[in-house]
Amino acid sequence: MALRKSTKAGVAGVAVAAVAATAFVAPAQAATHTPPAGSGHRATQRAMDEAVKAGVPGVTAQARDTGGVWKSASGVGDLTSGAPRGKNDKFRVGSITKTFVATVLLQMEAEGRLDLDDTVERRLPGVVRGNGNDGREITVRQLLNHTSGLFDYLADEEYARTYTRGDGYLGHRYDTLPPEKHVKVALSHKPLFKPGAEHSYSNTNYILAGLIVEKAGGRPYEDEVRDRVIRPLGLKNTSNPGNSIHLPRPSSRGYSKLFASAPDRIDDITERNGSQGWADGDIISTAGDLNRFYGALLRGELLPPKQLKAMKTTVPAAPGSPYTSYGLGLARLRTSCGTTLWGHGGGILGWLSMAVTTEDGRHQLAYNYNGDWDASSLLKIVDAEYCRTSS
């Protein structure tokens, strides 16, 4: 199966309720940085430039392969000043956070602190109950591969109206939201299906996964991610924001179309309380750090063979997903030219990202859009890098 365009706003499997799938004409002149001939990434650059021409404010990217490191950018990082998108920008990675969380839980399994087939009830007694939801029937594995059947809290209409759309978002963007609130919203809905019966991407799964990390580790999930992944790999540009509203520099501005009634309106939503993402999507990073992370992960530097095999054991992805199948916080994709890749997409208000690597961990690509309303060109950049075509 080749990479497909998402039929939903944002990357399929990245439920960002406020992303408007509307066209956008950039108000600022887009600058481009075309690499020299012979660099091997000219098709990737063309695909980035085409995304900007189609309406993405700006793109930042890095690729790593046997030829070395290639960094580039296209478009603008600030629609007000017209400043270009930076090659070393930090950005909110959205659901790419899920791979970090799954890695930590698999490390804990390797240490004997938990088992993938433990029930959620065993790890979080009494937390998942009500409206037909039953933590006694859901396993940790089913959280990580999105087969739990739990409702995605971001799809709740009241939550979306309050925290991800229009005036609600603008009025509540600085609110601190504890993870328990997200769980409560999800459990106000009946499950989508019996645990294990299907695959349906739900951010609620990773809120619960983060709570399990905290219960098993006896400290904040952010500390576990920092000490188990960020520091050992030397990811100096990667962090969890906690309750901070700020994006560390260097960075560009992040933009969103919050109002369905005003499809041409673009709001700068760079500042946002980090707790509104948490373990399902709060990490801030760079394209370079994401490449280092996914390359190390697939090369076996973070997990023993048994746990890496479990992470790469997949279930069929839901219809409309850009993934061919989904493992434990790690997705499998296939390009139009047949190359198998592993990685994850990420969508959060203001930002769309993708990070992928070949199975041997030797060729990575990560990139980010600083606008969240059109993911239709995201996978064209993957094809351009691995198939050397921008068509």
Side-chain angles (χ1 to χ4, degrees), residues 6 8-20 91-98 152-154 164 201 203 255-256 269 272 276-283 290 294 322-323 326 344-355 367-375 378:
S6 171
K8 298 180 180 179
V11 179
V14 183
V16 184
V19 176
F91 48 84
R92 301 185 193 279
V93 309
S95 286
I96 290 172
T97 300
K98 292 177 173 64
D152 186 348
Y153 75 89
L154 281 177
T164 67
Y201 192 98
N203 288 280
Y255 298 97
S256 188
I269 53 79
R272 183 193 193 196
Q276 296 187 20
W278 208 59
D280 59 324
D282 72 343
I283 283 178
L290 293 179
Y294 280 100
Y323 310 134
Y326 197 94
H344 212 288
I348 192 168
L349 284 169
W351 314 90
L352 292 173
S353 305
M354 183 66 75
Y367 51 98
N368 168 265
Y369 292 0
N370 61 330
D372 64 15
W373 52 84
D374 184 9
L378 270 175

Side-chain angles (χ1 to χ4, degrees), residues 275-343:
S275 69
Q276 296 187 20
W278 208 59
D280 59 324
D282 72 343
I283 283 178
I284 295 168
S285 191
T286 63
D289 272 11
L290 293 179
N291 282 338
R292 170 66 180 134
F293 169 60
Y294 280 100
L297 179 62
L298 269 294
R299 289 192 299 267
E301 297 177 20
L302 290 170
L303 294 174
K306 177 183 176 181
Q307 278 69 36
L308 183 57
K309 180 180 179 180
M311 178 175 257
K312 293 167 65 180
T313 300
T314 64
V315 297
S321 172
Y323 310 134
T324 60
S325 57
Y326 197 94
L328 306 183
L330 187 68
R332 183 166 58 195
L333 307 84
R334 192 156 66 195
T335 67
S336 63
C337 58
T339 301
T340 296
L341 302 173
W342 293 90

Side-chain angles (χ1 to χ4, degrees), residues 22-47:
T22 54
F24 165 63
V25 179
Q29 185 66 34
T32 62
H33 308 282
T34 303
S39 68
H41 302 279
R42 297 186 69 180
T44 308
Q45 184 68 55
R46 286 196 300 270

Side-chain angles (χ1 to χ4, degrees), residues 61-80:
Q62 187 197 97
R64 299 175 67 97
D65 58 21
T66 55
V69 176
W70 174 80
K71 296 192 294 185
S72 191
S74 185
V76 295
D78 188 321
L79 293 176
T80 301

Side-chain angles (χ1 to χ4, degrees), residues 2 9 25-26 54 84 88 90 108 113 116-117 125 131 134 141 143 167 188 212 222 232 257 299 333 345 353:
V25 179
N88 300 303
K90 297 178 181 179
M108 288 181 163
R113 298 191 181 203
L116 290 177
D117 294 317
N131 282 322
D134 189 347
R141 190 190 308 272
L143 294 179
D167 289 323
S188 70
I212 292 172
E222 296 91 340
K257 293 187 176 185
R299 289 192 299 267
L333 307 84
S353 305

Side-chain angles (χ1 to χ4, degrees), residues 53-279:
K53 289 179 182 178
V56 173
V59 186
T60 186
Q62 187 197 97
R64 299 175 67 97
D65 58 21
T66 55
V69 176
W70 174 80
K71 296 192 294 185
S72 191
S74 185
V76 295
D78 188 321
L79 293 176
T80 301
S81 70
R85 191 76 205 267
K87 297 181 183 180
N88 300 303
D89 274 357
K90 297 178 181 179
F91 48 84
R92 301 185 193 279
V93 309
S95 286
I96 290 172
T97 300
K98 292 177 173 64
T99 314
F100 286 77
V101 174
T103 299
V104 169
L105 275 174
L106 285 163
Q107 288 181 351
M108 288 181 163
E109 191 206 34
E111 297 162 1
R113 298 191 181 203
L114 54 83
D115 190 286
L116 290 177
D117 294 317
D118 286 343
T119 64
V120 173
E121 175 67 19
R122 178 177 178 184
R123 291 297 156 187
L124 300 172
V127 171
V128 178
R129 294 284 181 88
N131 282 322
N133 299 288
D134 189 347
R136 295 172 297 182
E137 303 296 325
I138 301 169
T139 66
V140 175
R141 190 190 308 272
Q142 290 167 340
L143 294 179
L144 297 184
N145 66 13
H146 297 292
T147 60
S148 71
L150 292 171
F151 186 85
D152 186 348
Y153 75 89
L154 281 177
D156 178 85
E157 178 58 30
E158 182 178 355
Y159 185 95
R161 188 169 56 247
T162 305
Y163 296 107
T164 67
R165 295 205 297 256
D167 289 323
Y169 171 79
L170 295 176
H172 292 277
R173 64 195 291 186
Y174 302 125
D175 292 2
T176 296
L177 301 183
E180 291 79 9
K181 178 177 178 61
H182 298 149
V183 174
K184 182 178 180 180
V185 169
L187 297 183
S188 70
H189 297 264
K190 294 183 180 299
L192 303 180
F193 49 80
K194 184 179 179 180
E198 301 177 34
H199 173 272
S200 182
Y201 192 98
S202 173
N203 288 280
T204 306
N205 290 323
Y206 276 76
I207 294 293
L208 292 167
L211 291 172
I212 292 172
V213 166
E214 294 197 334
K215 196 72 175 291
R219 57 181 186 154
Y221 121 84
E222 296 91 340
D223 291 349
E224 294 290 346
V225 170
R226 182 189 63 240
D227 292 345
R228 290 175 175 273
V229 180
I230 294 174
R231 283 182 176 171
L233 292 182
L235 306 182
K236 296 181 180 180
N237 296 304
T238 301
S239 61
N240 295 92
N243 295 333
S244 172
I245 65 171
H246 300 293
L247 189 62
R249 294 186 178 183
S251 59
S252 293
R253 309 301 294 176
Y255 298 97
S256 188
K257 293 187 176 185
L258 299 171
F259 296 86
S261 60
D264 294 327
R265 171 174 169 170
I266 298 170
D267 283 275
D268 183 330
I269 53 79
T270 309
E271 293 183 344
R272 183 193 193 196
N273 191 306
S275 69
Q276 296 187 20
W278 208 59

